[in-house]
Amino acid sequence: MTSPLEQKLTQFRNTFSSDFKAKLSVLVKRWGRARTAPNAEILKEFRFEVHSLRGSSGTLGFITLSQLLGDIESKIHTLSEVASGQEKNTQSADVINSIDNCMNKIIKATEQTPNPLLLVSQDSEIFKDTKLISVPKQDDDEIRSQSYRDISIALVDADQASSSKTSQLLIDFGFEVSTYTSLTELQQEKPASLKLLLIDLDTVTGDHSETFRVIESVSKNKTDVFILSSKNSFETRLHAIRAGAKDFLLKPLNITKLVSKIRKNFKIDLTRPYRILLLDDQASVGKFYKTLLETEGVQVLAINEAHKILKALDSFHPDVFLLDMHMPDISGIEVAKLLRQQTKYDYVPIVFLSADNDVETKLAVLECGADDIISKDTPPSIIAQQIDSRIQRGQEIRYIASRDSLTGVLNHGQIMDAAAHDIRLSKRQEKPTIIAMIDLDNFKAVNDQYGHLGGDKVLIALGQLLLQSVRDTDYVGRYGGEEFMIVFNSANLAVIETKMNAILEAFHHITYEVDDKSFNCSFSAGIASSDNHDKLSEIISAADLALYDAKKAGKNQVCISQSK
């Protein structure tokens, strides 16, 4: 029983095979001109035809044909050097004869039925039990990115005071936490549906080898393990890695860092499927990879003309660029340099798909700011896995670069960019964007009375509460100091007012403890809609005025902008 992906691949191969004689006819004509008058321009045209055919044949798994075309392409390089006077003319005849032999092999193969160069025998190995891209689809019957509410945490810490403090902080962030004084107690109770195990290694008595054995067993049962320790030794970290631990955090524990790592580990902040922008001058190759990757729930925008890429990026925000190396009138290297000139794509990986695998090409790829080059004759499953790893690493780097280091929400620059993008989108879709400006009440007094430790706890709690209270399509950022901003996409003003009042109520009931003193905090908020304003600056000003009204009215409340 063939899979849908195998069926699609068979269709692409059949199309390639039916068009092959026509493509070969063009190639023969090009070679006829090139061998009799081998000037640089004619050789360039012939080399481009060879390279294009080599790329598509390698992509579809016609490896023998791809290798023959690769031999021709390498010899064209030598012939070009002869034509430009860089090599002795005595080599020309030998190179031409060698290309003739390769061309004759390809021509003679077309006289056989079936064509031996268009046979593939590795499909079962390529696709067997392969999950190409690990990002979840958006369908209800697929595994989705985790919500913080889905993550049950077990904390193993023999120090009950420390355990109580850490567990309460995690509970305040919305996680479900159970505590144990030892691994033995944990194993006896066998908590169901455990997602994450936190082990304080400093409080585990006896030989740590038994601890690492338990960690290995737990990891194999699909429970992730984080180790907490004050010992930053290479050997301890290595043992943890070998046992299957996902992370290693140094004490004293930074709760914000721990929560950030939990969110990252469980992809809580993954808000959409992966997006891939593919540029290849051969429409058939672009269509093949689009079909291959979209089978796994990935969004792919395939472009076959380089000059269209900037316009496409106005509405499509990729997680990775896949570029062809050789195209008419422009090279992939030039496109990569163009992309790297734009700051917003600094952290988006660039990967080349090319039939050209020589060392000089690989060095050129790295020098232009790209991240990797993958041969087009690499099995599709391996290509997809390499793309997957690049996307995940790129997302991690972008996440770190875009976040406020204390609260974990977007920093000022990123929330402003998100708001500007959402306003543009709302105009095209004719659905309003609603912006909420939030400011903590009496925050200076909190810092004066409880110090910056108390103030930081409040900021962290508010940031995480906001993140956990909005939709995946909304944005939360720290506007500055104790002021936060939420961008609600395609939202109803009355619904958002109700939502903000619910957040206000939840936040007011959070209790903070500093040096045996406890206190609560509140915030005021102002809301404005793009229905009443054309520019982002106008919406923010209107929300700020509404926020000021909330402060004047006694604080700890939400006000709606009345301006038009």
Side-chain angles (χ1 to χ4, degrees):
M1 185 73 177
T2 58
S3 68
L5 187 55
E6 288 177 287
Q7 293 170 11
K8 288 285 186 182
L9 182 58
T10 300
Q11 291 176 10
F12 280 109
R13 285 172 173 163
N14 289 340
T15 300
F16 179 90
S17 299
S18 62
D19 295 341
F20 181 65
K21 285 189 177 180
K23 293 176 181 177
L24 180 58
S25 177
V26 173
L27 200 64
V28 169
K29 289 177 182 178
R30 296 278 190 190
W31 175 232
R33 291 181 60 202
R35 75 187 306 280
T36 55
N39 65 60
E41 189 59 34
I42 293 174
L43 286 170
K44 180 181 177 181
E45 292 175 358
F46 176 58
R47 184 177 187 273
F48 182 77
E49 292 293 340
V50 172
H51 182 82
S52 297
L53 193 58
R54 179 189 175 192
S56 53
S57 61
T59 296
L60 296 173
F62 301 124
I63 304 303
T64 305
L65 175 59
S66 179
Q67 289 172 344
L68 274 172
L69 292 166
D71 289 342
I72 294 174
E73 191 172 5
S74 64
K75 291 174 175 62
I76 298 170
H77 178 71
T78 304
L79 203 58
S80 298
E81 291 181 338
V82 171
S84 63
Q86 297 179 35
E87 294 287 345
K88 293 181 180 180
N89 196 47
T90 52
Q91 294 185 19
S92 181
D94 290 340
V95 174
I96 289 173
N97 286 335
S98 183
I99 294 176
D100 280 342
N101 288 334
C102 291
M103 290 292 293
N104 287 332
K105 287 180 182 179
I106 297 172
I107 293 168
K108 287 181 179 178
T110 63
E111 299 170 359
Q112 301 178 50
T113 304
N115 185 334
L117 298 181
L118 301 180
L119 295 178
V120 181
S121 60
Q122 300 300 317
D123 279 358
S124 60
E125 293 181 15
I126 290 175
F127 292 102
K128 185 178 180 181
D129 298 327
T130 301
K131 183 70 176 174
L132 298 180
I133 296 288
S134 61
V135 65
K137 296 180 183 179
Q138 297 301 298
D139 301 326
D140 290 338
D141 58 348
E142 291 291 330
I143 299 173
R144 305 167 75 94
S145 56
Q146 295 277 6
S147 162
Y148 71 99
R149 299 178 184 87
D150 301 326
I151 301 169
S152 56
I153 300 174
L155 171 62
V156 177
D157 186 348
D159 184 336
Q160 293 189 7
S162 170
S163 175
S164 176
K165 180 180 178 181
T166 302
S167 63
Q168 187 57 53
L169 287 169
L170 288 170
I171 290 169
D172 289 343
F173 278 103
F175 296 104
E176 177 189 329
V177 185
S178 53
T179 59
Y180 304 88
T181 57
S182 67
L183 284 170
T184 302
E185 183 184 351
L186 173 72
Q187 290 174 309
Q188 288 174 345
E189 292 199 18
K190 296 179 180 178
S193 304
L194 183 61
K195 295 290 186 181
L196 177 65
L197 174 59
L198 301 177
I199 299 180
D200 190 326
L201 205 60
D202 293 352
T203 65
V204 175
T205 58
D207 189 356
H208 283 170
S209 61
E210 175 61 19
T211 301
F212 289 123
R213 188 195 65 75
V214 174
I215 292 172
E216 184 174 4
S217 174
V218 168
S219 298
K220 288 179 179 177
N221 289 325
K222 298 182 179 180
T223 296
D224 294 338
V225 180
F226 286 8
I227 288 179
L228 316 177
S229 177
S230 60
K231 300 179 178 63
N232 189 25
S233 71
F234 178 84
E235 290 77 12
T236 303
R237 285 181 174 270
L238 183 59
H239 283 308
I241 289 171
R242 288 176 174 173
K246 287 292 187 73
D247 218 321
F248 192 107
L249 290 92
L250 288 175
K251 295 166 57 181
L253 192 61
N254 180 319
I255 189 62
T256 314
K257 189 173 183 179
L258 173 59
V259 170
S260 176
K261 283 180 174 287
I262 294 172
R263 296 181 72 92
K264 171 185 165 185
N265 185 74
F266 292 99
K267 295 183 172 64
I268 291 175
D269 298 293
L270 180 63
T271 59
R272 55 174 169 77
Y274 290 162
R275 289 180 175 177
I276 298 174
L277 190 145
L278 170 65
L279 174 63
D280 195 304
D281 64 291
Q282 297 179 75
S284 61
V285 173
K287 188 176 180 181
F288 168 76
Y289 282 111
K290 181 178 174 68
T291 301
L292 170 73
L293 296 167
E294 286 186 342
T295 302
E296 299 301 316
V298 178
Q299 296 178 10
V300 181
L301 177 62
I303 301 172
N304 58 11
E305 295 177 85
H307 70 272
K308 294 180 178 179
I309 194 167
L310 291 182
K311 185 177 181 180
L313 290 171
D314 284 340
S315 56
F316 190 83
H317 305 283
D319 294 296
V320 67
F321 293 99
L322 294 185
L323 306 180
D324 188 22
M325 182 66 70
H326 301 287
M327 295 171 284
D329 305 320
I330 190 170
S331 71
I333 297 290
E334 291 171 324
V335 175
K337 289 179 178 178
L338 184 149
L339 293 170
R340 285 293 183 244
Q341 288 175 353
Q342 302 178 69
T343 305
K344 58 184 174 180
Y345 303 124
D346 278 349
Y347 303 110
V348 180
I350 297 176
V351 177
F352 281 97
L353 289 172
S354 178
D356 189 353
N357 288 318
D358 59 61
V359 175
E360 290 80 7
T361 300
K362 291 180 179 179
L363 290 174
V365 163
L366 296 175
E367 288 173 359
C368 77
D371 300 87
D372 204 355
I373 181 169
I374 304 173
S375 174
K376 283 187 175 179
D377 59 11
T378 302
S381 60
I382 304 301
I383 290 177
Q385 288 168 11
Q386 287 180 273
I387 293 170
D388 188 14
S389 64
R390 284 294 179 186
I391 289 175
Q392 290 197 39
R393 183 58 180 158
Q395 283 194 341
E396 290 172 8
I397 294 171
R398 291 203 305 280
Y399 179 85
I400 293 169
S402 68
R403 297 283 158 169
D404 174 63
S405 59
L406 176 65
T407 62
V409 302
L410 293 174
N411 58 37
H412 178 83
Q414 291 296 317
I415 189 62
M416 292 300 289
D417 285 347
H421 168 69
D422 213 72
I423 295 295
R424 290 195 297 271
L425 195 64
S426 71
K427 289 179 179 179
R428 286 201 298 269
Q429 297 179 345
E430 298 183 348
K431 295 179 180 179
T433 291
I434 294 173
I435 287 180
M437 300 299 293
I438 298 166
D439 189 78
L440 286 163
D441 296 329
N442 307 314
F443 189 65
K444 184 178 183 301
V446 171
N447 277 328
D448 290 344
Q449 187 170 355
Y450 302 102
H452 287 292
L453 175 61
D456 286 352
K457 281 189 173 185
V458 174
L459 289 168
I460 292 166
L462 178 55
Q464 294 300 316
L465 176 63
L466 295 177
L467 282 174
Q468 294 161 2
S469 302
V470 302
R471 301 166 301 174
D472 288 343
T473 53
D474 302 326
Y475 302 94
V476 178
R478 189 175 178 187
Y479 193 72
E482 64 268 26
E483 194 168 8
F484 289 76
M485 176 176 172
I486 308 178
V487 181
F488 293 99
N489 173 268
S490 301
N492 177 280
L493 194 59
V495 171
I496 296 306
E497 182 181 12
T498 301
K499 165 63 72 175
M500 288 303 304
N501 277 303
I503 296 172
L504 184 81
E505 183 72 15
F507 181 70
H508 187 57
H509 284 91
I510 297 176
T511 299
Y512 310 94
E513 292 186 4
V514 177
D515 297 331
D516 297 326
K517 297 177 181 178
S518 61
F519 65 98
N520 301 91
C521 203
S522 66
F523 67 76
S524 301
I527 303 173
S529 170
S530 64
D531 275 345
N532 302 322
H533 307 278
D534 292 327
K535 297 179 181 179
L536 173 61
S537 59
E538 294 174 354
I539 305 173
I540 292 175
S541 294
D544 266 333
L545 286 173
L547 170 60
Y548 182 66
D549 290 341
K551 294 281 189 183
K552 285 196 302 180
K555 304 178 182 178
N556 191 28
Q557 57 188 282
V558 178
C559 284
I560 307 296
S561 170
Q562 302 302 319
S563 61
K564 296 290 182 181

